[in-house]
Amino acid sequence: MKAACWMGRNTVEVHEVPDPRILNARDAVVRITSTAICGSDLHLYDGYVPTMKKGDILGHEFMGEVVEVGPQVSTLKVGDRVVVPFPIACGNCGSCANGMYSVCENSNPNAGMAEKLMGHSPSGIFGYSHMLGGYPGGQAQYARVPFADVGPIKIEDDLPDEKVLFLSDILPTGWMGAEMCDIKPGDTIAVWGAGPVGQFAVASAYLMGAERVIAIDRFPYRLRKAAQAGAQTLDYEEVNVLEALREMTAGRGPDACIDAVGMEAHHPVAAVHAYDRTRQAARMETERPHALREAIMACRNGGTVSVVGVYGGLLDKFPMGALMNRSLTLKAGQCHVQRYTRPLLERIRNGDIDPSFVISHRMRLEDAPRGYEMFKNKQDECNKIVLSAV
Amino acid sequence: MSQERDRATDRLARMLGLVSMGLGVAQVAAPGAVSRLGGVDGSPRARALMPLAGARELLHAALLLGGRRPADRVWTRVAGDAMDLAALGRAVSGTQGDRRRRVMAATAVVLAVTALDVYTAARAARRRSRPGSPEVEQVARRGMNLHAAVTVNRPRREVYRRWRDVENLPGFMAHLESVSTTADGRSHWRARGPAGTAVTWNAKVVEDRPDELISWKSAGGVVGVTGSVRFADAPGGRGTEIHVDLSYRLPTGRAGLLLARLTGEHPEQQVRDDLRRFKQVMETGEVVRSEGSPEGTRALRQARQRPARPVPPVRSSVRASVRSAH
Ligand SMILES: NC(=O)c1ccc[n+]([C@@H]2O[C@H](COP(=O)([O-])OP(=O)(O)OC[C@H]3O[C@@H](n4cnc5c(N)ncnc54)[C@H](O)[C@@H]3O)[C@@H](O)[C@H]2O)c1
Ligand SMILES: [Zn+2]
Ligand SMILES: [Zn+2]
């Protein structure tokens, strides 16, 4: 089969590789129809996630048709159409039992590697480094799906791929980002990063009853998408974000702040950007946490900072004093996708949300290398790329 | 024969100690003369440092002449040689004529002595790692005590039962090939060694408190293993806590080394991996595999991952037929 492979920093190549096969009784093999490139993939592409190996198959947002099931999978049959959540979760461990699927205790065979960096191991993730399992990803024609009786959600009606594909990751992620804000009537929510995750966080926050959502980014076309979802927008290259938020909330600060940017934030002041860039290159910190720092400083006293942007290791100049002295709450996590797929599919069905609005480009799997380049450099107003694998 | 060789190594080391003593005394008592001899008398800095270098030589001498196995300390001289050579190297570039010749001669002497030091240190290192050497003996006597724990989200009685049936153990203990029980309640264990070898031993259960504790002890065979596993309810319905304690008394000689290698570089990690796989089997019904780690959790494999792409097929029957139907 064909698959998009990570071949080193800034290099993705489409290779012919062996077809996947069942390794465990609870596996299924899925023939992939649609798959997407995620902001998380850019962290791999840019070389900031440790333990990638040359030749690894990328991709964790995919859907398709079941073509083979292991003997222990009774919930799926050949021919079923499924969307596959990006965290791999067993459904049986203590974490899964509590709905914390992205910290499943069993799905990472390389847990020892992750423990060295993080203390304990999160779940395995498709196509997302060896520290997180060494699982091939879904930017391919086929993928083996472990614990196929737990993760994949069946799509039984004729909703097109592009309306349901994002159940695999970014729609639940934006939703969880908003959910962690514990939104109450009258709340103002500020969202850093108006990428697809940020756009879904905006839409979700409104569905949860936010009074007002403010999106922060520097790309006008992305801010326009956030505005379509109802947000007021701030271009951080035009205004001082902290002052603007203070002004917009009459001095209080947003009730909750969502970081939908992650480890590769950009800073408008070249010197500050260069400082973190250098420390990151020298591996003295692994993150450039400008958005997170700003979110903490902006948040109102007693408010919540919700982090869905991905971080990999250590960061520097973290405003712990603000967090502690101002009674802030910090919540974070890879999305527990399996928890949200069913209710969100319901909302797609009843028209509350049509996730396809984030798509800007449709390409073939073979074009993945060009897709990564465009998405990374925000060329041609690139917002979200869907690859067709058929 | 090797004992004679060991004594020769120590004699060599003592001789080097005497050299250090002589040189050290001279450097401290007559720094000017030694500086002239070494051709570094033109540099006030070198002259000032000479008594210090002497003190260092006396330290080497004390270390080498004072110990029972002086050869083990020769590496301290190797380090000193490096410092001397560096100083002489600096001196060569700053001198000419007769003085330069004297520096070169001194360098030649130090190089010769360095070669002897390195040779002696290497002999001592080889002696330390030989089977039967005091170092290896000590590891064997001390044995290895390992502890690891895990929480399994299953009822205590079920977890206990799975473990009590020792024939289940190879299902999650990676280095075990098989465990079979015999009629008298003993069990026969067989583990994979490096390069296709096998290590076997017998064990018997010495204590068995249902749902609480199993402890066992090896009987016969080269390996001395005592182990226990305790089962306790995790608080608040979190399943069962399992604590494993193992101690290995390694036999001396070849078998011991074989076993030490068998248990790998991080035996703690291996026991933890075993427990992780036990948890997987208990909770999910199988050992979890990925394409990067097709055998499932194993410390060795984590260090040397396959790329995350499908493992080439052994047979491709099933899906090939399904796919052709599309
Ligand atoms: N937690 C999860 O489960 C999960 C799931 C998917 C994605 N993610 C993460 O969410 C983040 C966003 O994903 P995406 O797909 O939208 O990525 P993206 O790269 O398309 O979007 C990131 C946006 O952040 C903006 N940005 C950069 N620096 C900024 C700053 N200082 N202030 C404000 N905005 C800034 C960029 O201009 C860009 O528009 C990534 O870190 C991704 O890894 C997390
Ligand atoms: Zn993603
Ligand atoms: Zn789990």
Side-chain angles (χ1 to χ4, degrees):
Chain A
M1 68 165 180
K2 287 194 186 59
C5 300
W6 186 90
M7 300 304 289
R9 185 182 288 221
N10 287 321
T11 316
V12 169
E13 289 169 11
V14 175
H15 286 192
E16 190 64 38
V17 301
D19 287 355
R21 56 193 178 89
I22 301 270
L23 295 183
N24 274 120
R26 290 171 65 185
D27 291 349
V29 174
V30 170
R31 183 179 63 91
I32 296 164
T33 51
S34 297
T35 174
I37 305 177
C38 177
S40 299
D41 293 325
L42 291 182
H43 305 320
L44 305 176
Y45 191 61
D46 295 335
Y48 289 120
V49 176
T51 74
M52 286 297 287
K53 245 182 109 77
K54 202 169 166 176
D56 289 350
I57 300 177
L58 291 163
H60 56 267
E61 303 183 356
F62 61 97
M63 64 177 296
E65 185 183 314
V66 175
V67 291
E68 186 180 357
V69 293
Q72 293 291 318
V73 182
S74 54
T75 48
L76 293 180
K77 57 182 190 316
V78 170
D80 281 348
R81 191 165 164 240
V82 291
V83 179
V84 181
F86 78 85
I88 300 171
C90 77
N92 308 110
C93 68
S95 299
C96 286
N98 287 320
M100 310 278 281
Y101 296 95
S102 75
V103 289
C104 170
E105 296 155 29
N106 287 318
S107 61
N108 183 2
N110 299 338
M113 286 163 95
E115 283 174 352
K116 286 199 190 79
L117 185 67
M118 298 190 268
H120 296 269
S121 174
S123 75
I125 293 182
F126 290 103
Y128 216 74
S129 85
H130 289 264
M131 177 176 82
L132 297 182
Y135 290 100
Q139 286 161 14
Q141 289 180 298
Y142 294 87
R144 177 180 73 94
V145 177
F147 302 117
D149 51 340
V150 177
I153 176 166
K154 259 194 265 190
I155 307 297
E156 294 178 284
D157 43 29
D158 53 3
L159 289 168
D161 277 18
E162 38 188 65
K163 280 200 179 186
V164 290
L165 172 62
F166 302 131
L167 285 169
S168 60
D169 177 352
I170 53 172
L171 175 59
T173 297
W175 182 269
M176 185 169 112
E179 192 182 71
M180 290 194 292
C181 296
D182 201 4
I183 296 172
K184 306 227 164 40
D187 276 1
T188 297
I189 311 296
V191 180
W192 276 256
V197 170
Q199 291 157 18
F200 284 141
V202 169
S204 304
Y206 277 119
L207 286 170
M208 290 174 199
E211 176 76 23
R212 176 169 53 161
V213 184
I214 303 166
I216 303 149
D217 205 305
R218 71 177 160 130
F219 292 102
Y221 74 94
R222 292 186 162 217
L223 288 171
R224 276 200 302 279
K225 289 256 189 205
Q228 264 172 41
Q232 294 175 9
T233 62
L234 291 178
D235 180 338
Y236 67 82
E237 290 191 315
E238 301 289 317
V239 298
N240 177 317
V241 172
L242 289 181
E243 273 169 23
L245 289 173
R246 189 182 273 274
E247 178 60 34
M248 291 166 88
T249 56
R252 299 186 305 276
D255 298 283
C257 297
I258 300 175
D259 170 357
V261 177
M263 61 174 8
E264 292 185 69
H266 159 265
H267 196 285
V269 177
V272 181
H273 189 70
Y275 171 84
D276 279 295
R277 199 58 219 249
T278 315
R279 291 184 66 91
Q280 199 175 29
R283 298 296 183 264
M284 292 164 85
E285 60 179 338
T286 49
E287 334 287 0
R288 299 198 301 263
H290 314 307
L292 179 57
R293 288 180 189 137
E294 201 167 62
I296 292 173
M297 297 307 279
C299 193
R300 77 150 157 81
N301 285 353
T304 297
V305 178
S306 157
V307 184
V308 288
V310 164
Y311 292 86
L314 308 170
L315 58 76
D316 186 42
K317 301 216 174 349
F318 182 79
M320 192 62 209
L323 190 78
M324 185 274 155
N325 290 289
R326 302 202 292 107
S327 293
L328 301 183
T329 300
L330 185 68
K331 294 190 194 169
Q334 293 282 3
C335 184
H336 305 295
V337 176
Q338 286 84 337
R339 202 200 270 171
Y340 304 105
T341 42
R342 263 152 257 279
L344 287 176
L345 175 61
E346 210 33 61
R347 284 187 185 266
I348 295 170
R349 245 191 219 127
N350 72 20
D352 277 354
I353 187 163
D354 175 358
S356 61
F357 80 90
V358 300
I359 302 174
S360 61
H361 292 76
R362 296 169 181 82
M363 298 182 180
R364 290 174 330 132
L365 176 62
E366 288 84 336
D367 300 325
R370 190 163 61 87
Y372 272 86
E373 221 25 49
M374 281 182 70
F375 186 47
K376 169 179 171 145
N377 298 320
K378 315 284 184 289
Q379 290 157 359
D380 191 27
E381 306 213 330
C382 186
N383 191 60
K384 184 78 182 176
I385 298 176
V386 174
L387 303 170
S388 152
V390 284
Chain B
M1 196 188 85
S2 75
Q3 269 174 12
E4 178 45 42
R5 207 181 142 76
D6 288 354
R7 271 197 292 275
T9 311
D10 282 328
R11 268 200 305 276
L12 212 52
R14 266 192 209 100
M15 194 195 82
L16 290 166
L18 286 172
V19 171
S20 280
M21 173 111 100
L23 185 58
V25 168
Q27 281 172 312
V28 174
V34 180
S35 301
R36 242 181 337 282
L37 205 63
V40 294
D41 49 332
S43 148
R45 183 164 168 269
R47 268 215 311 272
L49 289 176
M50 195 53 79
L52 277 181
R56 197 198 71 214
E57 288 295 346
L58 289 176
L59 189 67
H60 294 317
L63 285 172
L64 293 179
L65 297 175
R68 220 167 43 79
R69 283 157 51 93
D72 288 346
R73 296 162 173 180
V74 169
W75 62 267
T76 62
R77 270 191 55 95
V78 176
D81 295 337
M83 290 164 70
D84 291 344
L85 286 171
L88 287 165
R90 275 195 304 276
V92 167
S93 51
T95 50
Q96 300 122 357
D98 177 46
R99 207 171 255 162
R100 189 184 173 97
R101 265 191 301 282
R102 274 182 280 146
V103 175
M104 300 294 267
T107 307
V109 171
V110 174
L111 274 173
V113 175
T114 304
L116 197 57
D117 286 336
V118 169
Y119 171 71
T120 312
R123 269 176 74 147
R126 231 175 302 135
R127 173 173 82 183
R128 274 194 300 279
S129 60
R130 212 173 35 230
S133 76
E135 285 77 6
V136 171
E137 290 286 301
Q138 198 197 1
V139 170
R141 255 197 319 277
R142 214 181 333 117
M144 264 188 304
N145 294 306
L146 308 177
H147 175 82
V150 75
T151 302
V152 171
N153 190 23
R154 302 297 308 165
R156 182 149 57 103
R157 131 168 298 216
E158 191 185 320
V159 175
Y160 162 83
R161 283 203 182 143
R162 182 71 67 101
W163 198 295
R164 180 66 185 83
D165 185 356
V166 289
E167 299 192 2
N168 286 328
L169 301 184
F172 63 90
M173 290 187 171
H175 62 280
L176 281 185
E177 208 157 75
S178 64
V179 181
S180 51
T181 46
T182 49
D184 59 354
R186 285 167 186 255
S187 47
H188 182 69
W189 300 58
R190 188 183 167 85
R192 262 183 292 274
T197 55
V199 181
T200 62
W201 67 94
N202 292 317
K204 65 170 197 277
V205 170
V206 290
E207 195 178 356
D208 181 8
R209 297 206 298 268
D211 305 343
E212 271 175 39
L213 173 128
I214 308 168
S215 72
W216 65 94
K217 200 169 140 179
S218 61
V222 290
V223 194
V225 195
T226 47
S228 72
V229 50
R230 283 180 292 124
F231 305 93
D233 287 335
R238 287 170 171 77
T240 306
E241 292 179 357
I242 302 173
H243 291 268
V244 172
D245 286 289
L246 281 179
S247 61
Y248 286 95
R249 228 180 344 91
L250 298 183
T252 49
R254 242 184 77 74
L257 282 185
L258 199 71
L259 199 84
R261 242 176 280 151
L262 168 81
T263 47
E265 288 184 327
H266 305 286
E268 290 272 359
Q269 180 67 48
Q270 292 225 357
V271 179
R272 233 189 300 154
D273 287 348
D274 282 345
L275 286 185
R276 205 189 299 283
R277 282 188 299 267
F278 179 66
K279 177 180 165 72
Q280 290 168 358
V281 169
M282 288 304 300
E283 292 182 350
T284 79
E286 54 192 8
V287 170
V288 176
R289 296 165 209 285
S290 73
E291 283 70 1
S293 287
E295 314 83 355
T297 302
R298 289 198 77 159
L300 283 177
R301 175 54 94 183
Q302 278 166 38
R304 255 184 314 207
Q305 287 279 289
R306 290 187 71 263
R309 45 165 80 184
V311 184
V314 216
R315 51 171 189 97
S316 58
S317 55
V318 188
R319 204 181 57 259
S321 60
V322 173
R323 198 180 308 158
S324 59
H326 288 281

